[in-house]
Amino acid sequence: MLVIVKESYDAMSKEAAKIVADRLRKKPNLVLGLATGSTPLGLYKELIRMHKEEGLDFSKVTTFNLDEYIGLPPEHDQSYHFFMWENLFKHINIDARFVHVPMGMAKDVDAFCDWYETRMKECGGVDLQILGIGANGHIAFNEPGSSLGSRTRIKTLTGTTRLDNARFFKTAEEVPKYAITMGVGTIMDAKELILLANKASKADAIKAAVEGPITAMCPASIIQLHQKAYAIVDKDASAKLTGLYNDSWESKTF
Ligand code: F6R
């Protein structure tokens, strides 16, 4: 894993955007795995800027999002569909036919999950997956205890995650109880991973993911086994790390 520590959230976001843009310029039909949440917002803002000011072209890009709440229609303002269109897709020249976000309203969730896995394979697999991390070490909706070999499936959200996300809903009861999520094994199949984290509230999770034992109790720790994973973090999120780390992605080996 290549751990890159940046001074600020802004610098972290720009570093990640440089990698995405580099891969996209080398492969215009890149298959990009995307995350929601507050962490990747700076990255998406920078990609939008690169599209508008530098002509970064997304017309041939295919995307797969990590997860979606079950029971929220795409037009619900807390659905991950809505989030992605508001914060990235509507600002770039992406072809809507190439966008994949799990269908929270799928009638047969298991069949949908199988289809999602098949579709990723048909598209040649995810080239580069963006990840955030939960304070408890979750990636996507794979909470502590999730199987490290898991595939796309339905998951019950933990009480903590529902409470964390309650700030976005009118009442805590409105937070969905279930989600569709790529599995840990699905995420590990991506050819490259970028795990992003900022703020002191993520310092314990980053310590566990980067320097802790590989354990299902911190699903993010599995990325230590990935051949090409970047963890790009700001100073606050890096506060508990003890190793010596990099300050840039260029010309560094894993
Ligand atoms: C979102 C996702 C989640 C978030 C994580 C961190 O698609 O998969 O695992 O990445 O909960 O969320 P933020 O970035 O809001 O701290």
Side-chain angles (χ1 to χ4, degrees):
M1 182 179 352
L2 200 65
V3 181
I4 299 167
V5 179
K6 302 302 280 189
E7 271 305 315
S8 64
Y9 174 71
D10 195 45
M12 175 202 85
S13 304
K14 287 188 171 141
E15 190 74 5
K18 273 192 219 160
I19 302 177
V20 176
D22 175 76
R23 303 307 189 260
L24 183 47
R25 288 191 183 108
K26 287 178 179 145
K27 186 183 179 197
N29 63 343
L30 197 74
V31 180
L32 200 49
L34 296 171
T36 60
S38 52
T39 311
L41 284 173
L43 160 65
Y44 297 159
K45 204 171 132 213
E46 178 64 5
L47 291 176
I48 294 166
R49 189 200 64 74
M50 288 172 149
H51 167 66
K52 294 202 164 132
E53 293 174 16
E54 296 166 16
L56 190 64
D57 180 20
F58 291 85
S59 62
K60 296 188 179 69
V61 169
T62 296
T63 64
F64 285 93
N65 261 80
L66 287 169
D67 42 17
E68 176 61 288
Y69 289 120
I70 287 191
L72 296 191
E75 58 281 3
H76 190 289
D77 64 1
Q78 291 309 322
S79 76
Y80 289 174
H81 267 91
F82 190 88
F83 176 101
M84 289 310 303
W85 281 99
E86 278 305 299
N87 293 299
L88 181 62
F89 298 151
K90 79 174 187 192
H91 307 285
I92 56 176
N93 65 334
I94 198 142
D95 185 329
R97 291 171 306 167
F98 302 159
V99 165
H100 303 84
V101 183
M103 269 177 64
M105 299 299 282
K107 283 209 179 73
D108 184 339
V109 173
D110 290 342
F112 175 82
C113 293
D114 289 345
W115 175 84
Y116 206 64
E117 289 275 338
T118 306
R119 187 80 197 117
M120 276 183 256
K121 288 197 185 88
E122 282 169 1
C123 294
V126 172
D127 290 307
L128 175 59
Q129 176 69 54
I130 306 298
L131 296 169
I133 184 170
N136 63 4
H138 73 226
I139 43 175
F141 272 122
N142 298 288
E143 300 285 11
S146 295
S147 157
L148 296 181
S150 52
R151 311 302 306 184
T152 303
R153 68 209 184 293
I154 181 170
K155 282 293 282 181
T156 308
L157 307 192
T158 61
T160 336
T161 298
R162 287 187 72 223
L163 266 183
D164 269 0
N165 294 358
R167 62 201 148 115
F168 302 115
F169 292 82
K170 282 190 211 89
T171 63
E173 286 68 51
E174 270 179 59
V175 185
K177 293 191 176 65
Y178 305 99
I180 294 175
T181 181
M182 280 191 204
V184 181
T186 318
I187 292 168
M188 287 292 284
D189 281 351
K191 292 167 198 112
E192 288 188 278
L193 301 176
I194 296 182
L195 175 73
L196 295 173
N198 65 300
K199 294 193 184 153
S201 57
K202 299 290 174 70
D204 285 322
I206 284 297
K207 168 81 179 161
V210 173
E211 295 180 347
I214 296 168
T215 163
M217 294 316 286
C218 175
S221 62
I222 190 74
I223 78 165
Q224 293 175 35
L225 288 179
H226 198 278
Q227 284 188 42
K228 248 189 141 187
Y230 297 91
I232 310 181
V233 302
D234 77 347
K235 263 226 133 50
D236 294 342
S238 79
K240 300 206 170 158
L241 295 178
T242 53
L244 274 182
Y245 296 116
N246 305 281
D247 56 4
S248 127
W249 66 281
E250 270 156 317
S251 345
K252 297 284 193 317
T253 46
F254 289 85

Short mmCIF file of all heavy atoms in Angstrom, two decimals, residues 35-40 66-67 80 132-134 138-140 167 202, ligand 1:
data_model
loop_
_atom_site.label_atom_id
_atom_site.label_comp_id
_atom_site.label_asym_id
_atom_site.label_seq_id
_atom_site.Cartn_x
_atom_site.Cartn_y
_atom_site.Cartn_z
N ALA A 35 -17.59 6.38 -4.67
CA ALA A 35 -18.16 6.36 -3.31
C ALA A 35 -18.98 7.63 -3.10
O ALA A 35 -18.77 8.64 -3.78
CB ALA A 35 -17.02 6.31 -2.29
N THR A 36 -19.86 7.58 -2.13
CA THR A 36 -20.59 8.79 -1.72
C THR A 36 -20.00 9.24 -0.37
O THR A 36 -18.92 8.81 0.00
CB THR A 36 -22.10 8.52 -1.60
OG1 THR A 36 -22.27 7.49 -0.64
CG2 THR A 36 -22.68 8.10 -2.94
N GLY A 37 -20.73 10.08 0.35
CA GLY A 37 -20.26 10.56 1.65
C GLY A 37 -19.54 11.89 1.50
O GLY A 37 -19.34 12.38 0.38
N SER A 38 -19.10 12.44 2.64
CA SER A 38 -18.49 13.77 2.57
C SER A 38 -17.04 13.70 2.07
O SER A 38 -16.55 14.65 1.45
CB SER A 38 -18.56 14.44 3.94
OG SER A 38 -18.04 13.56 4.91
N THR A 39 -16.35 12.59 2.31
CA THR A 39 -14.91 12.54 1.99
C THR A 39 -14.59 12.80 0.51
O THR A 39 -13.70 13.61 0.22
CB THR A 39 -14.31 11.19 2.45
OG1 THR A 39 -14.72 10.95 3.79
CG2 THR A 39 -12.80 11.21 2.37
N PRO A 40 -15.27 12.15 -0.44
CA PRO A 40 -14.84 12.34 -1.84
C PRO A 40 -15.36 13.62 -2.50
O PRO A 40 -15.08 13.86 -3.67
CB PRO A 40 -15.41 11.10 -2.56
CG PRO A 40 -16.56 10.66 -1.74
CD PRO A 40 -16.33 11.12 -0.34
N LEU A 66 -20.44 2.14 -5.07
CA LEU A 66 -20.27 1.10 -4.05
C LEU A 66 -21.57 0.61 -3.47
O LEU A 66 -21.74 -0.57 -3.18
CB LEU A 66 -19.45 1.67 -2.88
CG LEU A 66 -17.97 1.89 -3.07
CD1 LEU A 66 -17.42 2.68 -1.90
CD2 LEU A 66 -17.25 0.55 -3.19
N ASP A 67 -22.52 1.56 -3.26
CA ASP A 67 -23.67 1.17 -2.44
C ASP A 67 -24.87 2.07 -2.65
O ASP A 67 -24.77 3.13 -3.27
CB ASP A 67 -23.26 1.11 -0.95
CG ASP A 67 -22.38 2.28 -0.52
OD1 ASP A 67 -22.33 3.30 -1.24
OD2 ASP A 67 -21.74 2.18 0.53
N TYR A 80 -28.22 7.60 -2.94
CA TYR A 80 -26.87 7.78 -3.47
C TYR A 80 -26.91 8.10 -4.97
O TYR A 80 -25.98 8.72 -5.50
CB TYR A 80 -26.01 6.56 -3.15
CG TYR A 80 -25.67 6.47 -1.66
CD1 TYR A 80 -25.02 5.37 -1.13
CD2 TYR A 80 -25.99 7.51 -0.78
CE1 TYR A 80 -24.69 5.29 0.22
CE2 TYR A 80 -25.67 7.45 0.57
CZ TYR A 80 -25.02 6.34 1.06
OH TYR A 80 -24.69 6.27 2.39
N GLY A 132 -14.15 5.65 0.77
CA GLY A 132 -14.03 6.38 2.03
C GLY A 132 -13.92 5.32 3.12
O GLY A 132 -13.93 4.11 2.84
N ILE A 133 -13.83 5.75 4.36
CA ILE A 133 -13.75 4.78 5.46
C ILE A 133 -14.62 5.28 6.61
O ILE A 133 -14.67 6.49 6.89
CB ILE A 133 -12.27 4.59 5.92
CG1 ILE A 133 -12.15 3.51 7.01
CG2 ILE A 133 -11.64 5.89 6.38
CD1 ILE A 133 -10.70 3.11 7.32
N GLY A 134 -15.34 4.37 7.25
CA GLY A 134 -16.14 4.75 8.41
C GLY A 134 -15.25 4.83 9.64
O GLY A 134 -14.17 4.22 9.67
N HIS A 138 -15.37 0.61 8.46
CA HIS A 138 -16.13 0.03 7.34
C HIS A 138 -15.71 0.62 6.00
O HIS A 138 -15.24 1.75 5.93
CB HIS A 138 -17.66 0.15 7.56
CG HIS A 138 -18.25 1.51 7.42
ND1 HIS A 138 -19.15 2.04 8.33
CD2 HIS A 138 -18.12 2.47 6.47
CE1 HIS A 138 -19.51 3.25 7.92
NE2 HIS A 138 -18.91 3.54 6.80
N ILE A 139 -15.86 -0.19 4.95
CA ILE A 139 -15.73 0.32 3.58
C ILE A 139 -17.02 -0.06 2.87
O ILE A 139 -17.54 -1.15 3.06
CB ILE A 139 -14.48 -0.21 2.83
CG1 ILE A 139 -14.26 -1.71 3.05
CG2 ILE A 139 -13.25 0.59 3.19
CD1 ILE A 139 -13.10 -2.29 2.23
N ALA A 140 -17.53 0.85 2.02
CA ALA A 140 -18.89 0.73 1.50
C ALA A 140 -19.79 0.48 2.72
O ALA A 140 -19.58 1.09 3.77
CB ALA A 140 -18.97 -0.34 0.43
N ARG A 167 -28.16 12.55 10.56
CA ARG A 167 -28.08 14.01 10.36
C ARG A 167 -28.61 14.42 8.99
O ARG A 167 -28.97 15.57 8.78
CB ARG A 167 -26.62 14.49 10.56
CG ARG A 167 -25.64 13.88 9.57
CD ARG A 167 -24.19 13.95 10.06
NE ARG A 167 -23.45 12.80 9.58
CZ ARG A 167 -22.44 12.85 8.73
NH1 ARG A 167 -21.99 14.00 8.32
NH2 ARG A 167 -21.85 11.75 8.32
N LYS A 202 -11.18 10.17 11.92
CA LYS A 202 -10.85 8.96 11.15
C LYS A 202 -9.47 8.41 11.53
O LYS A 202 -9.02 7.42 10.95
CB LYS A 202 -10.88 9.27 9.64
CG LYS A 202 -12.25 9.72 9.10
CD LYS A 202 -13.25 8.60 9.08
CE LYS A 202 -14.65 9.04 8.69
NZ LYS A 202 -14.81 9.41 7.31
C1 F6R B 1 -20.23 5.64 0.79
C2 F6R B 1 -19.58 4.60 1.54
C3 F6R B 1 -19.19 4.74 2.99
C4 F6R B 1 -18.43 6.02 3.28
C5 F6R B 1 -18.00 6.09 4.75
C6 F6R B 1 -17.36 7.42 5.08
O1 F6R B 1 -20.51 5.24 -0.52
O2 F6R B 1 -19.35 3.59 0.98
O3 F6R B 1 -18.44 3.64 3.38
O4 F6R B 1 -17.30 6.07 2.47
O5 F6R B 1 -19.11 5.90 5.58
O6 F6R B 1 -18.30 8.43 4.97
P1 F6R B 1 -17.89 9.97 5.03
O7 F6R B 1 -17.06 10.22 3.81
O8 F6R B 1 -19.19 10.73 4.95
O9 F6R B 1 -17.14 10.16 6.29
#
